Amino acid sequence: MTYKYLALGDSYTIGEAVAADERWPHILQGRLIGDGIKVELPRIIATTGWTTDELQAAIDKEKPAKNYDLVSLLIGVNNQYRGYPIDQYKKEFESLLQQAIAFTQDRADRTFVLSIPDYGVTPFAAEKDPSKIGRELDEYNAVAKSICGKYEVAFVDITPGSRKAASDPTLVAEDGLHPSGKMYKEWVDASYPIVKSMLEN
């Protein structure tokens, strides 16, 4: 059997500033294949800068089939960046998560969410109140984690690891903002045992 994988998100999922094979959904697919689990090239619905409502609009336009074996969701950083109300995120994230589950034929155990990384530690944010960014992203991630718990969806917390970029510039892409391929590999390291067990069960 060959599994179908849908990845929903923003710049962190499309892999802004890195090569296509360094995007974390592609790294994940390659690792699964290496373990003998056949997975098609991920279908990615993600664009740099998207907020929850913009991802929703893209899903409405593209209308993915409800026949995926695996769906990931990582969204919210641009809501925080633009100063949107967190209540808007809560409402729209929950709706997006419900759809993500529906795309796996209602299998919450084949759906997973990655937390929002902390861009406050990057050179880009050096003069933008990094501590405030970190606090607000912690609030966003707490909301996402709570909603994931409600639907029994796996929540992979990559945020603490993302903060290592404060002292390790190799974890940041050349644009000074987005994760490097090395960082994306660490995200896959964190999510891989969960995802592998999803597909094996």
Side-chain angles (χ1 to χ4, degrees), residues 1-4 32-33 36-40 199:
M1 177 180 180
T2 301
Y3 295 109
K4 295 176 59 132
L32 288 164
I33 288 173
I37 301 171
K38 295 180 181 178
V39 181
E40 291 180 3
L199 297 179

Side-chain angles (χ1 to χ4, degrees), residues 1 3-6 68-72 100-101 103-113 152-154 194-201:
M1 177 180 180
Y3 295 109
K4 295 176 59 132
Y5 171 29
L6 174 66
Y68 286 89
D69 304 291
L70 185 68
V71 177
S72 62
I101 294 167
F103 293 140
T104 61
Q105 303 166 80
D106 294 324
R107 290 199 60 177
D109 61 336
R110 289 283 184 84
T111 308
F112 68 104
V113 168
E152 297 184 343
V153 166
I194 295 166
V195 174
K196 185 169 183 275
S197 67
M198 285 177 176
L199 297 179
E200 288 178 335
N201 295 329

Side-chain angles (χ1 to χ4, degrees), residues 57-78:
I59 290 171
D60 292 346
K61 182 180 179 182
E62 296 205 26
K63 296 180 173 62
K66 295 179 179 178
N67 65 348
Y68 286 89
D69 304 291
L70 185 68
V71 177
S72 62
L73 176 63
L74 166 49
I75 192 73
V77 69
N78 296 297

Side-chain angles (χ1 to χ4, degrees), residues 165-188:
S167 58
D168 184 354
T170 67
L171 296 174
V172 183
E174 290 184 2
D175 67 357
L177 169 59
H178 291 94
S180 66
K182 180 180 176 182
M183 173 76 86
Y184 285 136
K185 181 178 175 295
E186 292 194 3
W187 293 8
V188 173

Side-chain angles (χ1 to χ4, degrees), residues 37-103:
I37 301 171
K38 295 180 181 178
V39 181
E40 291 180 3
L41 196 67
R43 178 179 180 186
I44 297 177
I45 301 178
T47 292
T48 298
W50 273 357
T51 51
T52 44
D53 56 332
E54 289 165 336
L55 174 58
Q56 181 64 68
I59 290 171
D60 292 346
K61 182 180 179 182
E62 296 205 26
K63 296 180 173 62
K66 295 179 179 178
N67 65 348
Y68 286 89
D69 304 291
L70 185 68
V71 177
S72 62
L73 176 63
L74 166 49
I75 192 73
V77 69
N78 296 297
N79 291 59
Q80 182 277 334
Y81 183 73
R82 296 188 200 176
Y84 287 6
I86 197 159
D87 284 347
Q88 178 182 348
Y89 177 71
K90 185 175 183 178
K91 178 182 176 183
E92 293 174 352
F93 177 84
E94 183 163 9
S95 176
L96 288 166
L97 186 62
Q98 290 170 338
Q99 290 176 86
I101 294 167
F103 293 140

